[in-house]
Amino acid sequence: MDFDLPPDLVAYLAELDDFIDREIAPLQAQDDNERFFDHRREWARTDFDNGGLPRPEWEALLAEARRRADRAGHLRFGLPAEFGGRNGSNLWMAVIREHFAARGLGLHNDLQNEHSIVANNPFVLAIRDLCSPAHRDELIPGMLEERVRLTFGLTEPQHGSDATHMETRAVPEVRNGQPGFRIDGEKMWTTGMHTATHCVLFARTSGRDGEARGISAFLVPAHAEGVKIEEYLWTFNMPTDHPRVSFTKVWVPDSAVLGKLDGGLALAQHFVHENRIRQAASSLGAADYCVRESVKYARERKPFGEELARNQGIQFPLVELATQIEMLRLLIRKTAWQMDQMPKPEVEKRLSDKVSMCNYQANRLCCEAADRAMQVHGGLGYSRHKPFEHIYRHHRRYRITEGSEEIQMRKVAGHLFGYMGAGKY
């Protein structure tokens, strides 16, 4: 057993750090772009008079950072070489995400909206593996060049974790002699709809509520007749680009079906494990940042003439967090490495519980670490002059999204007690 990171991975982290120092940090420093990251960040990023949407200049800055990263060969790192990537593995992606988050807030890897100079791009491989050649040829180059921007329409006002009970329906309908589907329903949290070109919309096409089979995925143009953004849901973590969208008598041709008819949930589940392990790594890195900053501050702050760090009331909570960080780092890296040793269908059978353990524990740990950092830093920690409230607000959402922690604990229990497979004991 060798727990050291591969030397080429360590070298790549140094290459990324050098790129950040040369290209991204100067971009963040120019034209008062620091307003998006210092105490003004939420106000600089949010157009409060326009539904709470991200300000165009904020999104333009993120786009420029991505262009620079793509030009340097980093943005597509996790994708296969055929798409301009470097075949980045789950282990490498997890370590990179942890490393970026541990650097703190910055344009290299913003926490608020999944932006990173090493992108995730989960849709690309899902479309490659599950969709028709025509869709692959149309969508993949478009996504990589950011001409095609997809949003995800799965959750509904009355249905979240119980997605198989969705009420959105798609029924066959011929229009102007062309066969297709009429879609009616509502979706929640369709993130990025304000700039999307298409919505990957899930609707029941057959079967009964609660059945996984019978749900299909459709590629719906974002501005198709009958598509309406009803409201933007303001969240704990602003700006918001998470609207409730209605679909009323929206018609699409048969060619809009993504993947197999009645088998659309495979598209939604294709990248769940990769997303969860990378999110876990990001939460771990942010937690590590919070603890390190708290230790540093506790050594510098001297109330009553003595280091704050001398107090066991300061030491012990940070010791607990540091211990959990070390243990969780090993589980995340082990699980990511194991994911790389087997085909994707085997991950679901053999590692799904471990991925869920990593994810829900890391997200919870990050919230605890950010909260403790606020406490150690006192009034300053509670202010927006420190990043801890921002870290907390962002990572708190991951205890709900990407599968709520209760759903993920149920997954672990299914493996543990033998309801999903043979059982662990």
Side-chain angles (χ1 to χ4, degrees), residues 34 47 52 115 117 123 129 217 259 290 295 324 332 361 365 378 398:
E34 285 293 349
D47 189 345
H115 159 85
I117 61 169
F123 266 136
D129 294 344
C290 290
V295 169
Q324 292 176 59
I332 289 173
Q361 281 289 319
L365 176 62
Y398 288 112

Side-chain angles (χ1 to χ4, degrees), residues 43-98:
W43 302 93
R45 297 176 180 197
T46 307
D47 189 345
F48 288 101
D49 296 324
N50 186 30
L53 282 168
R55 292 188 186 276
E57 55 269 37
W58 164 234
E59 296 193 308
L61 177 63
L62 299 176
E64 175 59 24
R66 291 194 300 272
R67 279 192 291 271
R68 295 187 183 195
D70 203 17
R71 191 165 58 238
H74 300 308
L75 189 69
R76 308 185 196 186
F77 171 82
L79 293 176
E82 64 181 299
F83 301 129
R86 301 196 194 182
N87 302 298
S89 68
N90 286 298
L91 174 61
W92 281 50
M93 286 294 287
V95 172
I96 289 168
R97 284 302 174 91
E98 178 193 341

